[in-house]
PDB file of all heavy atoms in Angstrom:
ATOM      1  N   GLY A 234       6.982 170.538  24.587  1.00  0.00           N
ATOM      2  CA  GLY A 234       6.958 171.701  23.723  1.00  0.00           C
ATOM      3  C   GLY A 234       5.560 171.998  23.208  1.00  0.00           C
ATOM      4  O   GLY A 234       4.588 171.398  23.613  1.00  0.00           O
ATOM      5  N   ARG A 235       5.483 172.954  22.286  1.00  0.00           N
ATOM      6  CA  ARG A 235       4.189 173.345  21.701  1.00  0.00           C
ATOM      7  C   ARG A 235       3.799 172.338  20.637  1.00  0.00           C
ATOM      8  O   ARG A 235       4.608 171.918  19.797  1.00  0.00           O
ATOM      9  CB  ARG A 235       4.300 174.726  21.103  1.00  0.00           C
ATOM     10  CG  ARG A 235       2.985 175.252  20.514  1.00  0.00           C
ATOM     11  CD  ARG A 235       3.208 176.615  19.871  1.00  0.00           C
ATOM     12  NE  ARG A 235       3.597 177.609  20.881  1.00  0.00           N
ATOM     13  CZ  ARG A 235       2.748 178.287  21.621  1.00  0.00           C
ATOM     14  NH1 ARG A 235       1.432 178.096  21.457  1.00  0.00           N
ATOM     15  NH2 ARG A 235       3.177 179.182  22.482  1.00  0.00           N
ATOM     16  N   GLY A 236       2.548 171.922  20.653  1.00  0.00           N
ATOM     17  CA  GLY A 236       2.072 170.975  19.659  1.00  0.00           C
ATOM     18  C   GLY A 236       1.759 171.641  18.324  1.00  0.00           C
ATOM     19  O   GLY A 236       1.245 172.761  18.282  1.00  0.00           O
ATOM     20  N   LYS A 237       2.099 170.968  17.242  1.00  0.00           N
ATOM     21  CA  LYS A 237       1.775 171.455  15.911  1.00  0.00           C
ATOM     22  C   LYS A 237       0.428 170.869  15.483  1.00  0.00           C
ATOM     23  O   LYS A 237      -0.122 170.002  16.135  1.00  0.00           O
ATOM     24  CB  LYS A 237       2.888 171.098  14.949  1.00  0.00           C
ATOM     25  CG  LYS A 237       4.229 171.741  15.301  1.00  0.00           C
ATOM     26  CD  LYS A 237       5.305 171.417  14.296  1.00  0.00           C
ATOM     27  CE  LYS A 237       6.616 172.104  14.668  1.00  0.00           C
ATOM     28  NZ  LYS A 237       7.718 171.789  13.702  1.00  0.00           N
ATOM     29  N   SER A 238      -0.067 171.329  14.346  1.00  0.00           N
ATOM     30  CA  SER A 238      -1.436 170.962  13.951  1.00  0.00           C
ATOM     31  C   SER A 238      -1.526 169.671  13.144  1.00  0.00           C
ATOM     32  O   SER A 238      -2.634 169.262  12.774  1.00  0.00           O
ATOM     33  CB  SER A 238      -2.044 172.101  13.132  1.00  0.00           C
ATOM     34  OG  SER A 238      -1.285 172.338  11.946  1.00  0.00           O
ATOM     35  N   GLY A 239      -0.397 169.022  12.843  1.00  0.00           N
ATOM     36  CA  GLY A 239      -0.420 167.829  11.998  1.00  0.00           C
ATOM     37  C   GLY A 239      -1.300 166.722  12.528  1.00  0.00           C
ATOM     38  O   GLY A 239      -2.080 166.104  11.779  1.00  0.00           O
ATOM     39  N   ALA A 240      -1.195 166.423  13.821  1.00  0.00           N
ATOM     40  CA  ALA A 240      -1.997 165.360  14.408  1.00  0.00           C
ATOM     41  C   ALA A 240      -3.482 165.691  14.310  1.00  0.00           C
ATOM     42  O   ALA A 240      -4.302 164.843  13.929  1.00  0.00           O
ATOM     43  CB  ALA A 240      -1.594 165.143  15.865  1.00  0.00           C
ATOM     44  N   ALA A 241      -3.848 166.932  14.653  1.00  0.00           N
ATOM     45  CA  ALA A 241      -5.240 167.344  14.600  1.00  0.00           C
ATOM     46  C   ALA A 241      -5.787 167.276  13.165  1.00  0.00           C
ATOM     47  O   ALA A 241      -6.940 166.922  12.927  1.00  0.00           O
ATOM     48  CB  ALA A 241      -5.405 168.759  15.163  1.00  0.00           C
ATOM     49  N   LEU A 242      -4.935 167.601  12.198  1.00  0.00           N
ATOM     50  CA  LEU A 242      -5.350 167.550  10.791  1.00  0.00           C
ATOM     51  C   LEU A 242      -5.695 166.120  10.386  1.00  0.00           C
ATOM     52  O   LEU A 242      -6.725 165.890   9.753  1.00  0.00           O
ATOM     53  CB  LEU A 242      -4.234 168.071   9.899  1.00  0.00           C
ATOM     54  CG  LEU A 242      -4.463 167.995   8.378  1.00  0.00           C
ATOM     55  CD1 LEU A 242      -5.677 168.840   7.983  1.00  0.00           C
ATOM     56  CD2 LEU A 242      -3.218 168.439   7.624  1.00  0.00           C
ATOM     57  N   ILE A 243      -4.872 165.167  10.773  1.00  0.00           N
ATOM     58  CA  ILE A 243      -5.146 163.760  10.443  1.00  0.00           C
ATOM     59  C   ILE A 243      -6.393 163.269  11.158  1.00  0.00           C
ATOM     60  O   ILE A 243      -7.214 162.547  10.595  1.00  0.00           O
ATOM     61  CB  ILE A 243      -3.927 162.887  10.766  1.00  0.00           C
ATOM     62  CG1 ILE A 243      -2.722 163.318   9.905  1.00  0.00           C
ATOM     63  CG2 ILE A 243      -4.229 161.411  10.524  1.00  0.00           C
ATOM     64  CD1 ILE A 243      -1.418 162.654  10.289  1.00  0.00           C
ATOM     65  N   VAL A 244      -6.560 163.684  12.395  1.00  0.00           N
ATOM     66  CA  VAL A 244      -7.766 163.318  13.152  1.00  0.00           C
ATOM     67  C   VAL A 244      -9.006 163.862  12.443  1.00  0.00           C
ATOM     68  O   VAL A 244     -10.008 163.159  12.295  1.00  0.00           O
ATOM     69  CB  VAL A 244      -7.702 163.856  14.605  1.00  0.00           C
ATOM     70  CG1 VAL A 244      -9.042 163.630  15.314  1.00  0.00           C
ATOM     71  CG2 VAL A 244      -6.586 163.167  15.372  1.00  0.00           C
ATOM     72  N   SER A 245      -8.935 165.107  11.970  1.00  0.00           N
ATOM     73  CA  SER A 245     -10.095 165.718  11.325  1.00  0.00           C
ATOM     74  C   SER A 245     -10.478 164.985  10.050  1.00  0.00           C
ATOM     75  O   SER A 245     -11.649 164.975   9.647  1.00  0.00           O
ATOM     76  CB  SER A 245      -9.800 167.210  11.013  1.00  0.00           C
ATOM     77  OG  SER A 245      -8.835 167.352   9.970  1.00  0.00           O
ATOM     78  N   ARG A 246      -9.501 164.389   9.379  1.00  0.00           N
ATOM     79  CA  ARG A 246      -9.765 163.709   8.107  1.00  0.00           C
ATOM     80  C   ARG A 246     -10.147 162.240   8.281  1.00  0.00           C
ATOM     81  O   ARG A 246     -10.548 161.584   7.330  1.00  0.00           O
ATOM     82  CB  ARG A 246      -8.557 163.811   7.200  1.00  0.00           C
ATOM     83  CG  ARG A 246      -8.287 165.244   6.722  1.00  0.00           C
ATOM     84  CD  ARG A 246      -7.049 165.362   5.848  1.00  0.00           C
ATOM     85  NE  ARG A 246      -7.097 164.486   4.705  1.00  0.00           N
ATOM     86  CZ  ARG A 246      -6.108 164.370   3.788  1.00  0.00           C
ATOM     87  NH1 ARG A 246      -5.011 165.095   3.925  1.00  0.00           N
ATOM     88  NH2 ARG A 246      -6.223 163.548   2.776  1.00  0.00           N
ATOM     89  N   THR A 247     -10.036 161.719   9.504  1.00  0.00           N
ATOM     90  CA  THR A 247     -10.337 160.307   9.741  1.00  0.00           C
ATOM     91  C   THR A 247     -11.450 160.059  10.736  1.00  0.00           C
ATOM     92  O   THR A 247     -12.000 158.965  10.795  1.00  0.00           O
ATOM     93  CB  THR A 247      -9.078 159.583  10.258  1.00  0.00           C
ATOM     94  OG1 THR A 247      -8.637 160.216  11.478  1.00  0.00           O
ATOM     95  CG2 THR A 247      -7.945 159.624   9.227  1.00  0.00           C
ATOM     96  N   GLY A 248     -11.795 161.074  11.541  1.00  0.00           N
ATOM     97  CA  GLY A 248     -12.801 160.869  12.566  1.00  0.00           C
ATOM     98  C   GLY A 248     -12.302 159.988  13.700  1.00  0.00           C
ATOM     99  O   GLY A 248     -13.093 159.390  14.428  1.00  0.00           O
ATOM    100  N   ALA A 249     -10.989 159.910  13.854  1.00  0.00           N
ATOM    101  CA  ALA A 249     -10.397 159.018  14.858  1.00  0.00           C
ATOM    102  C   ALA A 249     -10.477 159.593  16.256  1.00  0.00           C
ATOM    103  O   ALA A 249     -10.487 160.805  16.463  1.00  0.00           O
ATOM    104  CB  ALA A 249      -8.936 158.739  14.495  1.00  0.00           C
ATOM    105  N   MET A 250     -10.488 158.703  17.229  1.00  0.00           N
ATOM    106  CA  MET A 250     -10.269 159.104  18.622  1.00  0.00           C
ATOM    107  C   MET A 250      -8.764 159.294  18.823  1.00  0.00           C
ATOM    108  O   MET A 250      -7.950 158.797  18.035  1.00  0.00           O
ATOM    109  CB  MET A 250     -10.808 158.049  19.585  1.00  0.00           C
ATOM    110  CG  MET A 250     -10.021 156.758  19.606  1.00  0.00           C
ATOM    111  SD  MET A 250     -10.736 155.493  20.698  1.00  0.00           S
ATOM    112  CE  MET A 250     -11.916 154.757  19.579  1.00  0.00           C
ATOM    113  N   VAL A 251      -8.398 160.009  19.871  1.00  0.00           N
ATOM    114  CA  VAL A 251      -6.982 160.247  20.169  1.00  0.00           C
ATOM    115  C   VAL A 251      -6.629 159.552  21.474  1.00  0.00           C
ATOM    116  O   VAL A 251      -7.311 159.736  22.486  1.00  0.00           O
ATOM    117  CB  VAL A 251      -6.679 161.757  20.276  1.00  0.00           C
ATOM    118  CG1 VAL A 251      -5.255 161.992  20.784  1.00  0.00           C
ATOM    119  CG2 VAL A 251      -6.862 162.438  18.924  1.00  0.00           C
ATOM    120  N   LEU A 252      -5.542 158.767  21.446  1.00  0.00           N
ATOM    121  CA  LEU A 252      -5.041 158.112  22.656  1.00  0.00           C
ATOM    122  C   LEU A 252      -3.824 158.899  23.136  1.00  0.00           C
ATOM    123  O   LEU A 252      -2.745 158.801  22.557  1.00  0.00           O
ATOM    124  CB  LEU A 252      -4.646 156.666  22.340  1.00  0.00           C
ATOM    125  CG  LEU A 252      -4.030 155.864  23.490  1.00  0.00           C
ATOM    126  CD1 LEU A 252      -5.045 155.711  24.636  1.00  0.00           C
ATOM    127  CD2 LEU A 252      -3.528 154.516  23.016  1.00  0.00           C
ATOM    128  N   PRO A 253      -3.961 159.680  24.214  1.00  0.00           N
ATOM    129  CA  PRO A 253      -2.823 160.461  24.725  1.00  0.00           C
ATOM    130  C   PRO A 253      -1.893 159.564  25.546  1.00  0.00           C
ATOM    131  O   PRO A 253      -2.343 158.726  26.340  1.00  0.00           O
ATOM    132  CB  PRO A 253      -3.472 161.524  25.593  1.00  0.00           C
ATOM    133  CG  PRO A 253      -4.737 160.896  26.080  1.00  0.00           C
ATOM    134  CD  PRO A 253      -5.186 159.956  24.985  1.00  0.00           C
ATOM    135  N   VAL A 254      -0.587 159.752  25.340  1.00  0.00           N
ATOM    136  CA  VAL A 254       0.406 158.966  26.050  1.00  0.00           C
ATOM    137  C   VAL A 254       1.512 159.886  26.550  1.00  0.00           C
ATOM    138  O   VAL A 254       1.919 160.801  25.826  1.00  0.00           O
ATOM    139  CB  VAL A 254       1.032 157.861  25.157  1.00  0.00           C
ATOM    140  CG1 VAL A 254       1.957 156.971  25.985  1.00  0.00           C
ATOM    141  CG2 VAL A 254      -0.042 157.018  24.502  1.00  0.00           C
ATOM    142  N   GLY A 255       1.990 159.641  27.749  1.00  0.00           N
ATOM    143  CA  GLY A 255       3.107 160.407  28.297  1.00  0.00           C
ATOM    144  C   GLY A 255       4.266 159.510  28.654  1.00  0.00           C
ATOM    145  O   GLY A 255       4.082 158.475  29.312  1.00  0.00           O
ATOM    146  N   ILE A 256       5.458 159.844  28.202  1.00  0.00           N
ATOM    147  CA  ILE A 256       6.666 159.124  28.557  1.00  0.00           C
ATOM    148  C   ILE A 256       7.471 160.025  29.510  1.00  0.00           C
ATOM    149  O   ILE A 256       7.805 161.146  29.174  1.00  0.00           O
ATOM    150  CB  ILE A 256       7.508 158.775  27.317  1.00  0.00           C
ATOM    151  CG1 ILE A 256       6.728 157.827  26.408  1.00  0.00           C
ATOM    152  CG2 ILE A 256       8.847 158.139  27.726  1.00  0.00           C
ATOM    153  CD1 ILE A 256       7.455 157.444  25.135  1.00  0.00           C
ATOM    154  N   ARG A 257       7.740 159.480  30.694  1.00  0.00           N
ATOM    155  CA  ARG A 257       8.369 160.292  31.741  1.00  0.00           C
ATOM    156  C   ARG A 257       9.519 159.543  32.371  1.00  0.00           C
ATOM    157  O   ARG A 257       9.455 158.325  32.578  1.00  0.00           O
ATOM    158  CB  ARG A 257       7.325 160.628  32.812  1.00  0.00           C
ATOM    159  CG  ARG A 257       7.809 161.536  33.914  1.00  0.00           C
ATOM    160  CD  ARG A 257       6.683 161.899  34.890  1.00  0.00           C
ATOM    161  NE  ARG A 257       6.330 160.776  35.760  1.00  0.00           N
ATOM    162  CZ  ARG A 257       5.183 160.091  35.638  1.00  0.00           C
ATOM    163  NH1 ARG A 257       4.307 160.395  34.706  1.00  0.00           N
ATOM    164  NH2 ARG A 257       4.913 159.086  36.462  1.00  0.00           N
ATOM    165  N   THR A 258      10.608 160.245  32.664  1.00  0.00           N
ATOM    166  CA  THR A 258      11.746 159.639  33.329  1.00  0.00           C
ATOM    167  C   THR A 258      12.426 160.688  34.185  1.00  0.00           C
ATOM    168  O   THR A 258      12.201 161.894  34.016  1.00  0.00           O
ATOM    169  CB  THR A 258      12.755 159.067  32.314  1.00  0.00           C
ATOM    170  OG1 THR A 258      13.758 158.318  33.005  1.00  0.00           O
ATOM    171  CG2 THR A 258      13.408 160.172  31.512  1.00  0.00           C
ATOM    172  N   LYS A 259      13.259 160.250  35.099  1.00  0.00           N
ATOM    173  CA  LYS A 259      13.980 161.161  35.976  1.00  0.00           C
ATOM    174  C   LYS A 259      14.932 162.003  35.145  1.00  0.00           C
ATOM    175  O   LYS A 259      15.612 161.510  34.257  1.00  0.00           O
ATOM    176  CB  LYS A 259      14.777 160.363  37.018  1.00  0.00           C
ATOM    177  CG  LYS A 259      15.453 161.235  38.076  1.00  0.00           C
ATOM    178  CD  LYS A 259      16.154 160.377  39.090  1.00  0.00           C
ATOM    179  CE  LYS A 259      16.846 161.247  40.163  1.00  0.00           C
ATOM    180  NZ  LYS A 259      17.546 160.400  41.161  1.00  0.00           N
ATOM    181  N   ASN A 260      14.963 163.288  35.423  1.00  0.00           N
ATOM    182  CA  ASN A 260      15.809 164.235  34.677  1.00  0.00           C
ATOM    183  C   ASN A 260      15.441 164.290  33.188  1.00  0.00           C
ATOM    184  O   ASN A 260      16.279 164.613  32.349  1.00  0.00           O
ATOM    185  CB  ASN A 260      17.297 163.886  34.842  1.00  0.00           C
ATOM    186  CG  ASN A 260      17.742 163.976  36.282  1.00  0.00           C
ATOM    187  OD1 ASN A 260      17.271 164.805  37.041  1.00  0.00           O
ATOM    188  ND2 ASN A 260      18.649 163.087  36.678  1.00  0.00           N
ATOM    189  N   GLN A 261      14.196 163.938  32.862  1.00  0.00           N
ATOM    190  CA  GLN A 261      13.612 164.093  31.547  1.00  0.00           C
ATOM    191  C   GLN A 261      14.141 163.158  30.465  1.00  0.00           C
ATOM    192  O   GLN A 261      13.387 162.629  29.676  1.00  0.00           O
ATOM    193  CB  GLN A 261      13.730 165.540  31.026  1.00  0.00           C
ATOM    194  CG  GLN A 261      12.760 166.523  31.660  1.00  0.00           C
ATOM    195  CD  GLN A 261      13.243 167.032  32.990  1.00  0.00           C
ATOM    196  OE1 GLN A 261      14.431 167.287  33.145  1.00  0.00           O
ATOM    197  NE2 GLN A 261      12.344 167.191  33.934  1.00  0.00           N
ATOM    198  N   LYS A 262      15.440 162.905  30.393  1.00  0.00           N
ATOM    199  CA  LYS A 262      16.008 162.176  29.276  1.00  0.00           C
ATOM    200  C   LYS A 262      16.239 160.687  29.625  1.00  0.00           C
ATOM    201  O   LYS A 262      16.867 160.374  30.620  1.00  0.00           O
ATOM    202  CB  LYS A 262      17.355 162.783  28.851  1.00  0.00           C
ATOM    203  CG  LYS A 262      17.212 164.144  28.191  1.00  0.00           C
ATOM    204  CD  LYS A 262      16.564 163.997  26.827  1.00  0.00           C
ATOM    205  CE  LYS A 262      16.556 165.340  26.085  1.00  0.00           C
ATOM    206  NZ  LYS A 262      15.970 165.200  24.745  1.00  0.00           N
ATOM    207  N   PRO A 263      15.708 159.746  28.788  1.00  0.00           N
ATOM    208  CA  PRO A 263      15.963 158.323  29.004  1.00  0.00           C
ATOM    209  C   PRO A 263      17.455 158.016  28.856  1.00  0.00           C
ATOM    210  O   PRO A 263      18.130 158.544  27.993  1.00  0.00           O
ATOM    211  CB  PRO A 263      15.154 157.632  27.903  1.00  0.00           C
ATOM    212  CG  PRO A 263      14.114 158.634  27.516  1.00  0.00           C
ATOM    213  CD  PRO A 263      14.776 159.970  27.673  1.00  0.00           C
ATOM    214  N   ARG A 264      17.970 157.169  29.745  1.00  0.00           N
ATOM    215  CA  ARG A 264      19.348 156.704  29.692  1.00  0.00           C
ATOM    216  C   ARG A 264      19.383 155.211  30.018  1.00  0.00           C
ATOM    217  O   ARG A 264      18.427 154.693  30.587  1.00  0.00           O
ATOM    218  CB  ARG A 264      20.230 157.450  30.700  1.00  0.00           C
ATOM    219  CG  ARG A 264      20.381 158.944  30.431  1.00  0.00           C
ATOM    220  CD  ARG A 264      21.320 159.223  29.267  1.00  0.00           C
ATOM    221  NE  ARG A 264      21.628 160.645  29.133  1.00  0.00           N
ATOM    222  CZ  ARG A 264      20.900 161.504  28.449  1.00  0.00           C
ATOM    223  NH1 ARG A 264      19.816 161.098  27.826  1.00  0.00           N
ATOM    224  NH2 ARG A 264      21.252 162.788  28.369  1.00  0.00           N
ATOM    225  N   ILE A 265      20.455 154.543  29.669  1.00  0.00           N
ATOM    226  CA  ILE A 265      20.568 153.133  29.958  1.00  0.00           C
ATOM    227  C   ILE A 265      20.448 152.896  31.469  1.00  0.00           C
ATOM    228  O   ILE A 265      21.006 153.648  32.266  1.00  0.00           O
ATOM    229  CB  ILE A 265      21.908 152.575  29.409  1.00  0.00           C
ATOM    230  CG1 ILE A 265      21.905 151.042  29.480  1.00  0.00           C
ATOM    231  CG2 ILE A 265      23.101 153.191  30.110  1.00  0.00           C
ATOM    232  CD1 ILE A 265      23.047 150.394  28.737  1.00  0.00           C
ATOM    233  N   PHE A 266      19.663 151.891  31.835  1.00  0.00           N
ATOM    234  CA  PHE A 266      19.387 151.500  33.223  1.00  0.00           C
ATOM    235  C   PHE A 266      18.548 152.512  34.009  1.00  0.00           C
ATOM    236  O   PHE A 266      18.369 152.362  35.201  1.00  0.00           O
ATOM    237  CB  PHE A 266      20.681 151.196  33.995  1.00  0.00           C
ATOM    238  CG  PHE A 266      21.546 150.153  33.366  1.00  0.00           C
ATOM    239  CD1 PHE A 266      22.908 150.365  33.173  1.00  0.00           C
ATOM    240  CD2 PHE A 266      21.007 148.930  32.968  1.00  0.00           C
ATOM    241  CE1 PHE A 266      23.702 149.401  32.595  1.00  0.00           C
ATOM    242  CE2 PHE A 266      21.792 147.951  32.374  1.00  0.00           C
ATOM    243  CZ  PHE A 266      23.137 148.193  32.182  1.00  0.00           C
ATOM    244  N   ARG A 267      18.061 153.549  33.347  1.00  0.00           N
ATOM    245  CA  ARG A 267      17.220 154.547  34.015  1.00  0.00           C
ATOM    246  C   ARG A 267      15.770 154.233  33.708  1.00  0.00           C
ATOM    247  O   ARG A 267      15.372 154.163  32.562  1.00  0.00           O
ATOM    248  CB  ARG A 267      17.581 155.951  33.549  1.00  0.00           C
ATOM    249  CG  ARG A 267      16.756 157.049  34.225  1.00  0.00           C
ATOM    250  CD  ARG A 267      17.145 158.425  33.700  1.00  0.00           C
ATOM    251  NE  ARG A 267      18.490 158.792  34.098  1.00  0.00           N
ATOM    252  CZ  ARG A 267      19.120 159.878  33.658  1.00  0.00           C
ATOM    253  NH1 ARG A 267      18.529 160.675  32.787  1.00  0.00           N
ATOM    254  NH2 ARG A 267      20.354 160.147  34.057  1.00  0.00           N
ATOM    255  N   LYS A 268      14.973 154.064  34.732  1.00  0.00           N
ATOM    256  CA  LYS A 268      13.581 153.630  34.546  1.00  0.00           C
ATOM    257  C   LYS A 268      12.713 154.699  33.918  1.00  0.00           C
ATOM    258  O   LYS A 268      12.811 155.882  34.267  1.00  0.00           O
ATOM    259  CB  LYS A 268      12.974 153.215  35.885  1.00  0.00           C
ATOM    260  CG  LYS A 268      11.632 152.483  35.753  1.00  0.00           C
ATOM    261  CD  LYS A 268      11.203 151.926  37.086  1.00  0.00           C
ATOM    262  CE  LYS A 268       9.919 151.113  36.945  1.00  0.00           C
ATOM    263  NZ  LYS A 268       9.489 150.522  38.237  1.00  0.00           N
ATOM    264  N   VAL A 269      11.862 154.273  33.007  1.00  0.00           N
ATOM    265  CA  VAL A 269      10.941 155.146  32.298  1.00  0.00           C
ATOM    266  C   VAL A 269       9.519 154.719  32.616  1.00  0.00           C
ATOM    267  O   VAL A 269       9.245 153.514  32.766  1.00  0.00           O
ATOM    268  CB  VAL A 269      11.191 155.086  30.774  1.00  0.00           C
ATOM    269  CG1 VAL A 269      10.047 155.686  29.996  1.00  0.00           C
ATOM    270  CG2 VAL A 269      12.488 155.798  30.414  1.00  0.00           C
ATOM    271  N   THR A 270       8.633 155.668  32.724  1.00  0.00           N
ATOM    272  CA  THR A 270       7.202 155.358  32.931  1.00  0.00           C
ATOM    273  C   THR A 270       6.430 155.760  31.680  1.00  0.00           C
ATOM    274  O   THR A 270       6.531 156.916  31.233  1.00  0.00           O
ATOM    275  CB  THR A 270       6.614 156.103  34.145  1.00  0.00           C
ATOM    276  OG1 THR A 270       7.337 155.707  35.325  1.00  0.00           O
ATOM    277  CG2 THR A 270       5.162 155.754  34.340  1.00  0.00           C
ATOM    278  N   VAL A 271       5.712 154.815  31.118  1.00  0.00           N
ATOM    279  CA  VAL A 271       4.864 155.059  29.953  1.00  0.00           C
ATOM    280  C   VAL A 271       3.418 155.024  30.428  1.00  0.00           C
ATOM    281  O   VAL A 271       2.925 154.007  30.896  1.00  0.00           O
ATOM    282  CB  VAL A 271       5.071 154.001  28.850  1.00  0.00           C
ATOM    283  CG1 VAL A 271       4.205 154.313  27.631  1.00  0.00           C
ATOM    284  CG2 VAL A 271       6.531 153.893  28.470  1.00  0.00           C
TER     285      VAL A 271
END
């Protein structure tokens, strides 16, 4: 979905780097016994 500004606001106040992470699975939704890639 569309990202909101909350994360960027906290970054601006801390000078932090951002670690992007993607969670992906078949048919989008995690289910029991369904493999997920982080």
Side-chain angles (χ1 to χ4, degrees):
R235 182 183 296 274
K237 298 182 179 179
S238 61
L242 176 62
I243 297 172
V244 172
S245 71
R246 292 178 57 182
T247 58
M250 70 183 85
V251 172
L252 177 64
V254 186
I256 296 178
R257 183 176 73 252
T258 188
K259 186 178 180 181
N260 298 326
Q261 284 83 39
K262 290 291 186 178
R264 295 285 188 272
I265 190 169
F266 303 131
R267 181 181 292 173
K268 191 171 184 179
V269 165
T270 300
V271 182

